[in-house]
Amino acid sequence: MEINLISDTITKPTQEMLQYMFNAHVGDDVYRQDPTVIELETRVAEFFGMEAGLFFPSGTMANQTAIKLHTQPGEQLIADKYAHVYNYEGGGVSFNSGVSCCLLDGNRGMITASQVAGAINDPEFYHSPLTSLVCVENTTNKGGGACYELDDLREIKKVCDANNLKFHLDGARIWNALVAKRQNPKDFGAIFDTISVCLSKGLGAPIGSILLGSKADIHRALRIRKILGGGMRQVGYLAAAGLYALANNIERLAEDHRRAKEIAAILSTKPWVSHIEPVETNILIFSLAEGYSDQLLIEKLKQKNILISSMGHNKLRVVTHLDYKEVMHTYVVETLQKF
Ligand SMILES: *Cc1c(COP(=O)(O)O)cnc(C)c1O
């Protein structure tokens, strides 16, 4: 038995999910005739209290579409230095939209309204790129699963409104935040112009993200998705997995969070661990004390069939997920206690 704590993207569909996918009613979604896709888009939009949704093969394509929607070539977006849209989308911000990034030095991937206000270029000063978009991430990926307070997001929204900026949420792990902080999804829908959410991380679907926004924005997003090659045909089979995941896999995220916290508690007793980032959700980031090697720890854990990953600079990452079961957790806890 191999225990993979490298990412929450490694989960595989269960028999029940596969059966649900198998039974889906499908049609040609490029003609918008797939009832299961429409049902998923509608349900997620309603969940967040937004007007419309659009199914994407990946979170990257959903984010890139949002950035394309809200910007013109030459303009600039504001994001945290850890942002997925900047670090892990292949340079798509510049490739797809011709946009540059003004990166802020946030706290665990989270930025503040005053930081945003200070980063906006004067629109009359035509020497600088025109600031047109703010992107935030919740939970933060590279920031270690940290979650925003709604009021802090509302403050950023005020700055956006006062400066004519669009506001996009990369909510790949928004489900984790909703469960951890017991927040209402409709509160997020009320703040953002667009939100991308991922079905293939904590929720355990094999593929899929949804972009949410106004009817007008989602209508324009349809063309952008087509241009990016994301128009798919009988894709209701995949959307069905998302519907199954929404119905069955949200509340249980609390277990992933508990297990991540329990692993952190054990690590906190170890002399070879120098620092642990606060664990709010399913991501745990810790640093090793001087003289200890991340590669050696990874190797030693691997010998015990436990896989974790390095983030460089002697920082390591553990991610809990749907396929990390209680028996595995018991074994990991016992193994770490002996280290
Ligand atoms: C995973 C992730 C995405 C999208 O990733 P895909 O692999 O393209 O689905 C976007 N933003 C964040 C913060 C993520 O963690």
Side-chain angles (χ1 to χ4, degrees):
M1 177 175 68
E2 187 180 79
I3 301 175
N4 189 324
L5 294 169
I6 291 175
S7 173
D8 48 5
T9 55
I10 60 112
T11 56
K12 292 178 189 162
T14 57
Q15 278 307 317
E16 292 77 18
M17 181 183 276
L18 285 170
Q19 197 55 48
Y20 197 82
M21 294 165 71
F22 199 67
N23 292 337
H25 296 288
V26 299
D28 186 337
D29 183 54
V30 174
Y31 288 110
R32 304 299 280 147
Q33 286 170 356
D34 188 305
T36 308
V37 173
I38 304 282
E39 185 186 342
L40 175 65
E41 292 168 342
T42 307
R43 195 169 295 179
V44 178
E46 279 169 1
F47 186 79
F48 286 90
M50 295 186 89
E51 280 180 11
L54 191 63
F55 186 69
F56 282 81
S58 72
T60 297
M61 197 188 283
N63 281 334
Q64 291 298 316
T65 297
I67 292 165
K68 186 75 191 159
L69 270 179
H70 299 313
T71 61
Q72 292 298 321
E75 294 179 352
Q76 190 164 74
L77 66 78
I78 294 172
D80 183 87
K81 64 182 186 301
Y82 285 168
H84 194 279
V85 295
Y86 174 72
N87 290 286
Y88 303 122
E89 299 190 3
V93 171
S94 52
F95 187 92
N96 297 313
S97 298
V99 163
S100 60
C101 296
C102 175
L103 298 177
L104 299 178
D105 188 15
N107 171 29
R108 300 200 298 135
M110 298 185 294
I111 58 180
T112 66
S114 66
Q115 281 181 307
V116 170
I120 300 168
N121 291 330
D122 175 359
E124 294 305 317
F125 189 71
Y126 55 80
H127 308 271
S128 298
L130 183 69
T131 309
S132 48
L133 172 65
V134 177
C135 294
V136 294
E137 212 168 287
N138 197 37
T139 71
T140 64
N141 176 337
K142 205 177 172 183
C147 315
Y148 278 91
E149 297 295 338
L150 278 163
D151 278 340
D152 294 337
L153 294 172
R154 290 188 184 109
E155 288 301 309
I156 300 177
K157 169 69 172 162
K158 275 188 211 158
V159 173
C160 291
D161 285 347
N163 293 278
N164 206 17
L165 310 181
K166 298 292 181 182
F167 198 17
H168 172 68
L169 170 62
D170 177 352
R173 292 192 181 81
I174 186 73
W175 321 104
N176 296 85
L178 293 173
V179 168
K181 292 193 103 71
R182 301 177 190 282
Q183 289 161 330
N184 182 345
K186 295 193 171 58
D187 288 334
F188 286 92
I191 295 172
F192 291 94
D193 293 294
T194 47
I195 302 179
S196 64
V197 304
C198 188
L199 303 161
S200 63
K201 287 185 172 153
L203 297 196
I207 182 172
S209 281
I210 307 280
L211 182 66
L212 303 166
S214 68
K215 271 196 186 128
D217 275 346
I218 294 304
H219 184 66
R220 288 172 56 223
L222 194 54
R223 178 184 292 272
I224 298 168
R225 186 185 71 174
K226 179 72 191 181
I227 291 169
L228 295 176
M232 301 180 287
R233 302 293 177 178
Q234 284 71 30
V235 72
Y237 291 116
L238 301 178
L243 284 168
Y244 182 90
L246 282 178
N248 294 284
N249 294 344
I250 296 182
E251 290 310 320
R252 63 149 303 285
L253 290 169
E255 291 175 34
D256 298 347
H257 303 169
R258 168 179 59 81
R259 290 179 186 134
K261 285 185 181 126
E262 286 172 2
I263 295 172
I266 291 164
L267 291 174
S268 71
T269 66
K270 300 292 174 186
W272 40 271
V273 173
S274 67
H275 176 71
I276 305 175
E277 300 280 338
V279 179
E280 292 186 59
T281 53
N282 67 324
I283 304 178
L284 153 62
I285 294 176
F286 64 100
S287 307
L288 295 182
E290 283 244 324
Y292 292 92
S293 144
D294 55 348
Q295 289 311 322
L296 192 62
L297 180 63
I298 286 173
E299 193 44 48
K300 291 206 158 201
L301 285 170
K302 197 173 167 193
Q303 285 165 11
K304 304 277 181 198
N305 296 319
I306 300 168
L307 307 182
I308 70 168
S309 62
S310 169
M311 302 180 73
H313 311 287
N314 257 9
K315 261 193 196 174
L316 293 131
R317 188 174 91 154
V318 167
V319 186
T320 58
H321 52 74
L322 178 61
D323 286 0
Y324 176 61
K325 306 292 186 200
E326 195 60 26
V327 275
M328 301 178 179
H329 181 57
T330 306
Y331 169 80
V332 167
V333 165
E334 283 170 8
T335 306
L336 279 174
Q337 263 157 353
K338 288 182 216 141
F339 261 58

